[in-house]
Amino acid sequence: MADITVRPMAADDAERVRAICQAGLDDGDASFETTAPTWAAFDASRLSDHRLVAVAGDGTVLGWIAVSPTSTRAVYAGVVEHSVYVDPVARGRGVARLLLDALIGSTETAGIWTIQSGVFPENVASLALHERAGFRVVGVRERVGRHHGRWRDVVLLERRSPVIN
């Protein structure tokens, strides 16, 4: 991982971010979505201060992480939902953990006290990653939505910051 760095996501990363997202969606266990959003939709729905990319030594974007607000209500200003995607060729190299650790630092610096996510139970790698990063299972939403014609459960995960009181 010494050759991998994390930096803020830029508009110039849009094509790679979308391609990595689409690869995850194509695998079938990343999201209910089936098509990666346009850059305009992505940009409008994610908080700009907490969008990061992992980059190889040659400048290739290997993965990304970003957060969305969970609510417009002021009481939930410190709660965000995140997504993390890694290029299939870079999986198993610690890219997602590097991104998640950087996101935790970024959000805690900004006073965000909870990061949450919903993960399909079949995505065991993501569940293990989140557990190692201090997330806990809050519960399982059973048959919460249909995906490719079948009902899917979603495991709700959250990480409550130990430093934001």
Side-chain angles (χ1 to χ4, degrees):
M1 284 201 326
D3 64 328
I4 301 172
T5 58
V6 174
R7 65 165 171 76
M9 185 185 296
D12 290 348
D13 299 318
E15 187 176 318
R16 279 291 293 152
V17 166
R18 189 167 194 280
I20 291 167
C21 183
Q22 190 62 55
L25 298 178
D26 291 345
D27 284 348
D29 285 332
S31 172
F32 282 106
E33 301 300 324
T34 56
T35 304
T38 64
W39 179 252
F42 182 96
D43 189 43
S45 65
R46 278 32 176 231
L47 298 177
S48 60
D49 290 342
H50 308 290
R51 299 182 210 172
L52 306 167
V53 291
V55 181
D58 66 359
T60 302
V61 173
L62 301 174
W64 61 269
I65 196 165
V67 301
S68 301
T70 59
S71 175
T72 58
R73 295 178 60 196
V75 69
Y76 296 114
V79 182
V80 295
E81 182 171 358
H82 85 289
S83 297
V84 59
Y85 286 80
V86 176
D87 188 313
V89 301
R91 291 181 188 156
R93 295 175 48 195
V95 173
R97 181 59 191 263
L98 197 63
L99 286 163
L100 195 50
D101 288 346
L103 178 72
I104 289 167
S106 170
T107 55
E108 286 184 342
T109 298
I112 292 172
W113 57 82
T114 300
I115 303 170
Q116 66 184 36
S117 190
V119 177
F120 289 137
E122 297 84 0
N123 194 340
V124 293
S126 183
L127 292 171
L129 163 74
H130 285 88
E131 181 181 349
R132 288 190 306 271
F135 284 72
R136 70 182 182 96
V137 173
V138 176
V140 177
R141 297 184 73 195
E142 296 177 356
R143 297 171 46 100
V144 71
R146 293 180 70 82
H147 182 246
H148 296 300
R150 69 180 177 108
W151 288 104
R152 300 289 299 263
D153 296 347
V154 173
V155 178
L156 298 176
L157 304 164
E158 73 174 14
R159 182 189 181 277
R160 174 76 164 109
S161 171
V163 299
I164 308 294
N165 296 317

